[in-house]
Each structure stands twice: as C-alpha cells, then as structure tokens.
C-alpha cells in the first residue's frame, strides 16, 4: 500500500523549482537595493583599467546570460567581445596574450574546474578578470581579480531559474556602470516579474497544448536571442523535448525547411528593434502554416496561433530579457508536470557540472 503524500505538498514533484521561480521578484529587488552599489564599484574599477576587448566565459544557463552581456557590451558600449572557447586553454594549453582584455566568467556555483582553470590562466596572461557568481566563497571568485555576487540565495532545483534572471540583472547593472549609467531602466522589473509569475493558470493551459510535442523550435533576434537559447535549454533539461534554438536570421538560412504545422515554433518577440528585425521571420513562419507561439507584445500574440502577452509597456528593450524568460520557465515547468515528470530532478544531471 502506497503512503499518502504529506498534506503540505512537500513531496510534490516540481515544488522546489516552482518555489524558486516564485522568488524571482524578491531576488531582483534585492539586487537593485543591496547589490547595485557594489556592482557600480566593481564597474568603476574595471572601467579605470580601460579594457580594449571583452571575453565572456561560461557554460549552460550561464552561457546564455553571458550571451546577453555580449549584446549589452556591443550595443550599449560599442565594445568588441566574444565568447571564449575554454578548451583552447584547458585541453590544448594555449596561452593567448590577454593584456588589456576583460575576461568575465559567469557561473552560478563558481565551482566548475574548467571555468576556474581558464580564468586563472587568463589572469596569468594579463587579463582583467571578473567572476559573476552566486557564491562569493567559490574557487572561481577566489581566482578572479573582481567578483559580483548575484545575491540569488541557495538554488536547490537542478534547472536554474532565479540565478539566470539574477545574472541578467547583475550583468546589466555592471554594463551600465561601465558606461556611467544609473541602471534606472531596471527599476520596474521586480513588479512586472511578479505580474507575470501570477499568471500560472494561463501558462498551464498553454502547457496542455504542447505536452505531446515531439520537437520544438525557438527563435528570436537581438536581445531576445539569449532568451530563446535559455528557453530551449529549460525545455530539454526538464521535459526532455528536443528544443532547437535559432537566431531568426539563421532560421531562414536552412533550418526553416524543417518547420511544419505539427511541431510548435516559439518566437520571443522583443518590443523594439529586435522584434522589428524578427518580423520577416514571423511572416515566413505564418506562410508555412507553423504552429506559432509568441511571447511578446499584444499585436504579435494576436497574430499567432497562441501566445503570452508580456507587460513591456515602458520597459526598455535591453532589460526585457529579464521578463521574457519567465513565462518560458513556467512553460517548461508545466509541460514537464503534464508529462508526469519531476522538473526538480532531471535525469543524468548534477547541480555543479565538473567539465575540464
């Protein structure tokens, strides 16, 4: 005879991920109130070093946050930057000249050996090194010259949710600090995040539509592209649905051929230039009869098969990714529950991935 689950829901599948998603408005508020002064100090110190180039180093969810930082640095500062290939250092032993280069390493735990080793090697090669982590006592923080604590609090669910949005906001404030900005565009994010997370029933209904999907395609452009990549990762690691993420421009260069009226296509439509650049892609998708799900402004959602309207009125395009990912985190969670799986504990995964 099976035991009756506790009345408090403590054994309910997905309860940890659900709880951590719900913490995000408070985490964002904490960063703005408590973390912002320290982030500005770090930004001022780094700016005084006058780096000529930025290398971003990360894995998994943190890699998507780093990609967001790449867009910020290139658009807001006009600073050239790239995503590092850690194996060139850790596997091949390359030691490039990194004088006057800023190396930003993003990691929730700060414990992955390849991140620590490549950051240490970068510092030895003359780089200015900055770690952005959720653990001020981590090996990565210790090996880096500067550190930003994203203040998300302990994260126990294997799928990262609150550490992702906390990383986005912290990186945004850092880039604003580099350019002498005050980061005021982020002030409304905690309240808007709360509005989105309260719409659980709406997302649950959408999840019922997609619970039997065998494949998903997720696309965006500009600031929304990291959101597409992170949404694909969340769907794959929780529900095990193969989810392919593409820049809208790349989708047109071949992969569009696989789009049909069966496999859902999720389009993240940022309200701004990124959404405008995605419009020809949306037109092509509709022309192919795609099952199109849009996360974005009301007008774009109304023209799709399904969607989630984002409350982006008055929100600057560069900070919208903090909001865009929330309904997609919820969708991954709800689809996983609908498929009878536990999003707290995806198979074959560990919280700290020790790549070398």
């Amino acid at each position: 005879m099976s035991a009756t689950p506790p009345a408090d829901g403590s054994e309910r599948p997905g309860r940890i991920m659900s709880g951590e998603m719900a913490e995000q408005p408070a985490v964002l508020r904490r960063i703005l109130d408590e973390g912002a002064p320290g982030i500005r100090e770090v930004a001022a110190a780094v700016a005084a070093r006058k780096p000529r180039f930025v290398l971003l180093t990360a894995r998994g969810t943190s890699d998507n946050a780093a990609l967001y930082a790449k867009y910020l640095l290139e658009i807001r500062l006009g600073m050239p930057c790239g995503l590092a290939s850690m194996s060139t250092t850790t596997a091949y032993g390359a030691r490039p000249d990194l004088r006057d280069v800023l190396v930003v390493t993003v990691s929730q735990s700060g414990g992955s050996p390849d991140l620590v080793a490549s950051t240490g090697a970068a510092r030895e090669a003359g780089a200015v090194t900055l770690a952005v982590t959720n653990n001020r006592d981590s090996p990565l923080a210790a090996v880096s010259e500067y550190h930003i604590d994203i203040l998300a609090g302990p994260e126990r669910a294997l799928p990262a949710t609150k550490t992702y949005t906390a990383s986005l906001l912290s990186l945004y404030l850092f880039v604003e600090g580099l350019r002498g900005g005050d980061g005021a565009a982020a002030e409304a994010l905690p309240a808007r995040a709360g509005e989105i997370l309260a719409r659980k029933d709406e997302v649950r209904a959408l999840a019922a539509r997609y619970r039997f999907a065998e494949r998903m395609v997720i696309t965006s452009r500009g600031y929304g592209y990291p959101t597409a990549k992170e949404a694909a990762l969340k769907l794959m690691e929780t529900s095990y649905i193969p989810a392919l993420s593409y820049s809208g421009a790349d989708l047109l260069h071949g992969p569009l051929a696989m789009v049909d009226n069966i496999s859902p296509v999720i389009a993240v439509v940022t309200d701004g230039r990124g959404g405008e650049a995605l419009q020809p892609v949306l037109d092509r998708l509709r022309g192919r009869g795609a099952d199109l799900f849009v996360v974005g402004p009301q007008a774009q959602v109304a023209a799709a098969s399904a969607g989630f309207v984002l409350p982006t009125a008055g929100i600057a395009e560069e900070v919208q990714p903090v909001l865009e990912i929330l309904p997609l985190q919820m969708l991954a969670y709800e689809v996983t529950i609908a498929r009878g799986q536990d999003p707290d504990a995806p198979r074959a995964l560990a919280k700290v991935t020790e790549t070398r």
Side-chain angles (χ1 to χ4, degrees), residues 99-242:
R99 287 173 294 179
D100 301 322
V101 174
L102 170 62
V103 173
V104 180
T105 307
V106 187
S107 172
Q108 300 152 45
S109 68
S112 185
D114 60 346
L115 292 170
V116 176
S118 62
T119 301
R123 189 170 180 180
E124 291 174 2
V128 179
T129 53
L130 166 65
V132 179
T133 80
N134 195 38
N135 183 359
R136 65 171 64 247
D137 299 318
S138 65
L140 180 60
V143 80
S144 300
E145 188 173 357
Y146 300 101
H147 178 249
I148 289 174
D149 187 343
I150 64 173
L151 300 177
E155 189 172 57
R156 295 187 297 133
L158 285 174
T161 54
K162 63 179 181 175
T163 52
Y164 179 68
T165 50
S167 295
L168 296 188
L169 178 54
S170 298
L171 288 164
Y172 167 74
L173 292 174
F174 171 69
V175 173
E176 283 299 287
L178 289 178
R179 64 191 294 270
D182 59 8
E187 188 61 32
L189 293 178
R192 296 292 177 89
E195 293 173 18
I196 292 169
L197 291 167
R199 294 161 62 184
K200 294 180 182 178
D201 291 344
E202 186 178 337
V203 176
R204 191 170 297 124
L206 291 166
R209 178 188 180 103
Y210 300 118
R211 64 177 293 192
F212 296 114
E214 296 182 358
R215 180 187 68 199
M216 289 189 180
V217 174
I218 307 175
T219 188
S220 188
R221 291 203 68 180
Y223 285 115
Y225 180 42
T227 306
K229 291 177 68 66
E230 175 62 11
L233 177 59
K234 282 293 153 288
L235 283 161
M236 288 189 287
E237 69 183 354
T238 56
S239 69
Y240 317 141
I241 296 174

Side-chain angles (χ1 to χ4, degrees), residues 2 4 34 43 46 52 81 130 187 196 251 268 270 280 284 310:
S2 61
T4 302
E34 301 174 21
V46 170
R52 58 183 171 83
C81 57
L130 166 65
E187 188 61 32
I196 292 169
L251 185 63
V268 180
T270 303
R284 291 285 298 276
L310 283 176

Side-chain angles (χ1 to χ4, degrees), residues 238-252:
T238 56
S239 69
Y240 317 141
I241 296 174
L244 307 174
S245 59
Y246 295 98
S247 157
D250 288 332
L251 185 63
L252 296 183

Side-chain angles (χ1 to χ4, degrees), residues 334-346:
E334 294 292 353
V335 167
T336 304
I337 293 295
R339 290 163 68 97
Q341 296 152 199
D342 185 356
D344 284 343

